[in-house]
Amino acid sequence: MKEAITVTDLNYSYPDGTTALNDVNIVAYEGEKIGIVGPNGAGKTTLFLHLNGTIKCPDSSIRIFGQDIGNMALKERIRKVGIMFQEPDDQLFMPTIFDDVAFGPLNMGLDKNEVQRRVKDTLQRVGLEGFEDRVPHNLSYGQKKRAALAAVLSMEPDILILDEPTANLDPKSRADLMQIINRLNREGVTTIIATHDVNALPELADRIYVLNQEIIAEGSPREIFSDWQLLKRNNLEAPDVFKLFKVLSCFGYNCNELPLSLDESVNELIQTIGNSEDHIHLHMHEHTHNAVKEVMDSYNHHRMNNSD
């Protein structure tokens, strides 16, 4: 597969000397869904600012489809790599939604008709048809997120980077945005997402990097979330559904691959019940309580003890 982004030996320190990134190496292939997870202060946003050329690091190598980002013109960079920040207000600064979404294409030097086409098509893709004349600060937070995404998509990037896209969204807005992101990926856009929303991550990522100033681990969502020691060391969490089925296994539920999402859990239960004469056997034995406690202690390491 073609490499969409290749990061080699990326090191970066803040002006006060604090290390932000240490010898980071990442590869994202064209059409992949990559997740980046790590504790607060791990360097995720700093990494993203390197990937679109906002921060330049001459001693490291970042290549976009094989081309050194340092040799790419600004218009070419924003055409290849788009980034949506966590706070939509950081990207919505024009009087109307039309102006915000048109800002990028206009600065790319596109003609009026092409700009209008892109604004119309992009707003339709994110479910904001008819919002052209709306004032950004009057929108709901979920609508602002989609408007900010539209402002990025109007430049038709091949790679889309999203920093905490589901943060602070109500359930419907969260589901809508996840659906849009996955649809964009199916259409061929490479997506790279940083998030603390571990319940969304299995649907948004095929492969995950654990970042804590350096790359700690890399693997599939199942590989990463199965390693509770890795999660504990890096203040991370596993999806709730995964933990539930881990507990059920203590009661004798036999599952070769623990589900990571609600859809997977439904399919798992249907298959199990269908193969077990329409019922499931769960039981308790003398070691069940200890087994449950071990699972809870492993995957709820962030929870304070009642005695604290």
Side-chain angles (χ1 to χ4, degrees):
M1 293 194 304
K2 184 186 297 184
E3 294 182 1
I5 287 185
T6 310
V7 179
T8 306
D9 301 331
L10 177 58
N11 295 279
Y12 182 76
S13 296
Y14 297 121
D16 65 359
T18 302
T19 298
L21 299 170
N22 179 36
D23 198 24
V24 170
N25 293 273
I26 290 176
V27 175
Y29 295 97
E30 185 176 23
E32 263 198 308
K33 298 191 294 184
I34 296 292
I36 307 288
V37 299
N40 291 332
K44 299 183 292 294
T45 301
T46 301
L47 170 64
F48 284 177
L49 292 175
H50 281 84
L51 298 185
N52 76 341
T54 300
I55 299 178
K56 297 175 175 59
C57 194
D59 296 329
S60 304
S61 173
I62 299 176
R63 306 187 76 83
I64 308 298
F65 292 104
Q67 187 174 358
D68 192 317
I69 196 170
N71 297 329
M72 297 172 68
L74 175 60
K75 289 182 181 180
E76 189 175 11
R77 288 206 313 269
I78 63 176
R79 167 65 185 85
K80 292 290 184 183
V81 183
I83 181 169
M84 188 180 90
F85 297 109
Q86 178 175 348
E87 288 301 325
D89 288 332
D90 292 341
Q91 290 179 272
L92 302 174
F93 50 85
M94 300 293 282
T96 67
I97 294 299
F98 180 94
D99 295 328
D100 270 314
V101 179
F103 183 83
L106 285 171
N107 281 276
M108 294 170 68
L110 302 178
D111 63 52
K112 180 179 178 181
N113 289 336
E114 176 62 13
V115 170
Q116 290 179 333
R117 181 196 69 79
R118 290 197 181 199
V119 171
K120 180 179 178 181
D121 290 352
T122 303
L123 288 177
Q124 185 176 27
R125 292 175 84 184
V126 301
L128 292 179
E129 305 98 319
F131 276 64
E132 288 86 346
D133 296 326
R134 297 281 293 272
V135 179
H137 70 255
N138 288 337
L139 301 183
S140 70
Y141 193 77
Q143 290 170 337
K144 286 182 179 181
K145 283 266 192 177
R146 283 184 283 152
L149 178 57
V152 177
L153 294 179
S154 65
M155 292 174 279
E156 299 185 352
D158 297 313
I159 300 167
L160 179 61
I161 296 173
L162 304 109
D163 194 357
E164 297 288 354
T166 62
N168 302 317
L169 292 178
D170 63 66
K172 184 181 186 307
S173 296
R174 174 180 176 273
D176 289 344
L177 190 59
M178 289 172 60
Q179 187 176 36
I180 292 168
I181 294 169
N182 281 326
R183 185 176 69 244
L184 292 168
N185 180 259
R186 290 193 299 270
E187 293 171 357
V189 178
T190 303
T191 55
I192 302 177
I193 298 171
T195 184
H196 291 294
D197 187 353
V198 295
N199 291 309
L201 202 53
E203 298 181 45
L204 294 175
D206 301 318
R207 196 157 54 90
I208 295 174
Y209 284 94
V210 179
L211 176 68
N212 196 352
Q213 274 80 56
E214 59 187 2
I215 298 299
I216 305 298
E218 177 267 332
S220 68
R222 179 162 283 103
E223 289 170 335
I224 296 299
F225 292 130
S226 296
D227 190 343
W228 67 266
Q229 292 179 322
L230 169 71
L231 302 180
K232 184 174 183 178
R233 287 195 304 269
N234 293 279
N235 295 328
L236 299 175
E237 185 59 278
D240 291 337
V241 166
F242 181 88
K243 291 187 291 184
L244 172 61
F245 275 79
K246 191 79 172 174
V247 170
L248 287 175
S249 69
C250 300
F251 292 89
Y253 184 85
N254 187 17
C255 183
N256 292 327
E257 287 192 346
L258 299 178
L260 290 167
S261 67
L262 182 59
D263 287 344
E264 286 187 10
S265 66
V266 170
N267 291 334
E268 168 63 29
L269 289 171
I270 290 174
Q271 182 177 349
T272 301
I273 294 173
N275 294 335
S276 305
E277 300 179 351
D278 298 330
H279 59 270
I280 296 174
H281 291 287
L282 299 178
H283 58 269
M284 291 185 63
H285 52 72
E286 58 180 321
H287 302 298
T288 298
H289 288 295
N290 288 336
V292 170
K293 184 177 185 304
E294 183 178 344
V295 170
M296 297 300 290
D297 289 345
S298 297
Y299 283 95
N300 284 317
H301 49 265
H302 63 283
R303 188 174 57 184
M304 293 179 64
N305 294 327
N306 291 333
S307 58
D308 289 348

